[in-house]
Amino acid sequence: MIFETSFAGEAIRSVMTWDSVRLRTIINNRSEKEQAAEVIDQVTSIELFSEQADVHYFKVILKEVSHEELLDITEVRRYLSMVAPVPFHPRFIYRRKISNELAADQVKLDEYQIFVNTEQVFKGYSTYIYEGDMENRRKIGEVIDVLFFKERDEHGQLVMWGWYGITEKNQSLNQINYARGFRLRKANIQVGDEYSLIKLHRDRRFQFYFFGEVYAMHPDILPNARRDYFIENEAYFDFENKLKNFLHTTIHKLCYAASEINSSVKRIDEYYTFQEEYQKKTQNGFTDKGEHQEYTERLSKKKEEATKAEARLEKIASGQENENSPITKILDRLTTARQNKVEKQVIIADDIKPKFRTDKLTKLNKEQRKFLGDVFRIIKNVLPNDVAENLIIKIEEEMK
């Protein structure tokens, strides 16, 4: 492993080379008890070269690597995009909003231009939500806004600062959304991974309903040696208690309210979808009176469920403190989409005389049409829908 660095203003390039094979040999030999400084002297060498004075960089080079994970460029970039102190991607539309909020709170994050080979690494946050896998992914939603949270201690010292994105449905994100979850960061470097904060949620699954970052701001909050969490001290306990309270209240309530919203919207959508199906039946004709009654009862039941769902949505909306609450934003987004659907619906009058498929078979008398309607009903009851429909169409063609 080779480190190359040049300090701005100095015409020198420093190169430190680590012999990893030699280092591994020393570590594996437990019969010798060397001091760390001795080991470093044995496995490193330093060389100085001339460089342009206005050039400034820090480069890490791995040579003769055989481990597959370290040779997977996609995985290396993905890892660095979540761990390293890099900027948001220019295509992440909420980066400006986050930057403005940071500036308003006088919070400055360390950011570095990091390249894998020649391509710059940015944080892995995306505006869109996906499902599937990397080879066959499809977009199913998007982040509709980002919200912020912060806490100070009794002396006014900023303890934590964070942001999180809310989505239309506010539901669990699968692993293809690799930036999912609230992520801990110190000095803009990730601490732990996507699972580190699961233990602080009242409901563990809510960790993966969001994209978000939690920055540990207090100077006494320090990562442990493994960088998978923090050293336990007074500042850490205060930080964790405040974060736990935020996750138990704001996030927990948001997720349950969003779940109720999704359930209500589903009931409303089911009503309008079935209304369309009912309308097609009305135009094309029902198989018999029994099918007409069944469809009419189902339509009535779904309408009743949709009416109750609308009332639930109105109750949730009226309980919001202000128009900037996350629930209000989710409701506004879903309401717009729902209104567009409603405008396309045709209201079906209850007093319209039902039309049956046998009505168009004018060669048959009333009793024959009634008998054939019974046959159609039996066919639909015993055969798969597509097979039954094809058979009925064939009979209709023969009887015309």
Side-chain angles (χ1 to χ4, degrees):
M1 182 166 62
I2 302 169
F3 298 102
E4 292 188 3
T5 182
S6 176
F7 187 76
E10 286 188 353
I12 297 173
R13 172 167 61 99
S14 302
V15 179
M16 174 184 283
T17 303
W18 290 66
D19 186 338
S20 61
V21 176
R22 175 64 177 155
L23 176 60
R24 192 159 51 243
T25 301
I26 294 173
I27 291 174
N28 291 338
N29 181 8
R30 290 300 83 217
S31 61
E32 300 291 334
K33 304 294 182 182
E34 304 93 339
Q35 296 293 318
E38 295 178 57
V39 174
I40 292 174
D41 285 341
Q42 292 182 53
V43 302
T44 61
S45 63
I46 298 178
E47 297 178 274
L48 301 178
F49 300 90
S50 60
E51 183 58 278
Q52 299 177 37
D54 59 347
V55 173
H56 172 43
Y57 56 84
F58 180 80
K59 187 183 299 184
V60 180
I61 303 170
L62 301 178
K63 299 186 71 172
E64 299 180 18
V65 175
S66 59
H67 198 293
E68 288 185 4
E69 287 188 7
L70 291 177
L71 293 174
D72 188 327
I73 300 299
T74 300
E75 287 302 316
V76 170
R77 287 181 54 79
R78 183 174 295 175
Y79 172 81
L80 290 174
S81 73
M82 298 311 302
V83 175
V86 294
F88 292 104
H89 199 287
R91 290 198 298 268
F92 182 53
I93 64 175
Y94 296 106
R95 66 187 180 92
R96 183 66 61 191
K97 184 173 183 178
I98 295 172
S99 298
N100 290 341
E101 191 74 14
L102 284 165
D105 289 325
Q106 298 182 328
V107 175
K108 182 172 176 56
L109 298 180
D110 295 326
E111 289 184 352
Y112 296 86
Q113 292 186 6
I114 296 178
F115 295 80
V116 174
N117 294 336
T118 58
E119 191 173 350
Q120 186 173 356
V121 177
F122 297 97
K123 285 185 177 179
Y125 295 106
S126 169
T127 308
Y128 300 108
I129 309 298
Y130 298 94
E131 68 175 10
D133 53 42
M134 290 305 296
E135 293 183 359
N136 300 290
R137 70 174 188 174
R138 68 184 188 91
K139 186 170 65 176
I140 60 171
E142 61 182 296
V143 177
I144 61 175
D145 202 0
V146 294
L147 303 175
F148 305 96
F149 58 97
K150 64 205 78 168
E151 289 287 347
R152 299 180 182 273
D153 63 16
E154 57 184 2
H155 306 296
Q157 169 71 48
L158 193 62
V159 174
M160 69 178 184
W161 191 98
W163 67 270
Y164 62 102
I166 55 173
T167 58
E168 299 167 320
K169 295 186 178 180
N170 204 62
Q171 61 189 14
S172 184
L173 309 175
N174 65 21
Q175 288 185 321
I176 192 174
N177 303 285
Y178 66 89
R180 67 178 187 161
F182 284 96
R183 306 295 185 109
L184 281 176
R185 303 187 80 83
K186 176 66 179 183
N188 205 17
I189 301 174
Q190 182 171 284
V191 176
D193 57 23
E194 63 188 293
Y195 299 98
S196 296
L197 289 179
I198 283 181
K199 62 183 181 180
L200 298 187
H201 288 267
R202 284 176 64 183
D203 191 326
R204 295 166 62 91
R205 61 198 169 114
F206 292 162
Q207 164 69 359
F208 300 118
Y209 276 47
F210 304 90
F211 297 120
E213 295 182 311
V214 185
Y215 298 92
M217 302 303 301
H218 197 288
D220 293 340
I221 303 175
L222 302 171
N224 60 27
R226 296 184 302 276
R227 291 198 64 85
D228 60 0
Y229 211 60
F230 296 116
I231 295 172
E232 295 186 357
N233 56 29
E234 184 177 347
Y236 152 77
F237 287 120
D238 185 39
F239 166 84
E240 187 173 77
N241 286 335
K242 285 178 167 55
L243 179 55
K244 186 176 181 180
N245 181 64
F246 167 73
L247 297 175
H248 277 222
T249 54
T250 302
I251 295 303
H252 192 78
K253 291 177 181 177
L254 169 58
C255 290
Y256 270 98
S259 177
E260 189 170 2
I261 290 171
N262 291 336
S263 177
S264 298
V265 169
K266 182 180 179 181
R267 294 288 178 269
I268 296 167
D269 287 345
E270 286 176 348
Y271 168 58
Y272 288 125
T273 299
F274 189 73
Q275 194 182 58
E276 287 182 344
E277 186 178 344
Y278 185 94
Q279 183 185 14
K280 289 178 181 177
K281 279 287 184 181
T282 301
Q283 293 171 346
N284 299 329
F286 293 93
T287 302
D288 58 13
K289 290 183 178 179
E291 187 182 57
H292 173 253
Q293 182 178 355
E294 176 196 346
Y295 267 73
T296 302
E297 289 175 354
R298 286 175 63 189
L299 181 65
S300 177
K301 183 178 179 180
K302 289 185 179 296
K303 181 178 181 180
E304 181 182 352
E305 291 175 347
T307 300
K308 291 179 179 178
E310 288 281 7
R312 283 198 298 272
L313 291 179
E314 291 178 7
K315 183 177 179 181
I316 293 172
S318 64
Q320 302 310 303
E321 296 179 358
N322 58 69
E323 61 182 14
N324 292 318
S325 74
I327 290 299
T328 300
K329 292 178 182 294
I330 292 172
L331 280 170
D332 287 346
R333 182 64 170 252
L334 292 174
T335 298
T336 301
R338 193 166 72 255
Q339 286 174 342
N340 291 338
K341 284 186 178 181
V342 173
E343 288 171 0
K344 296 177 182 179
Q345 303 307 313
V346 177
I347 305 303
I348 301 172
D350 294 331
D351 58 354
I352 294 178
K353 183 179 179 180
K355 178 181 177 181
F356 299 102
R357 296 184 70 159
T358 54
D359 291 347
K360 57 189 175 184
L361 305 178
T362 54
K363 290 197 305 184
L364 304 179
N365 60 38
K366 184 177 180 180
E367 288 186 2
Q368 289 172 327
R369 288 199 297 270
K370 183 179 182 303
F371 174 76
L372 194 58
D374 292 338
V375 173
F376 287 173
R377 176 173 51 79
I378 294 171
I379 290 173
K380 290 184 75 67
N381 286 339
V382 299
L383 293 177
N385 287 337
D386 55 342
V387 177
E389 183 61 24
N390 288 335
L391 179 56
I392 290 172
I393 291 173
K394 186 63 177 176
I395 293 173
E396 288 174 334
E397 291 174 349
E398 293 292 329
M399 293 295 177
K400 283 182 180 179

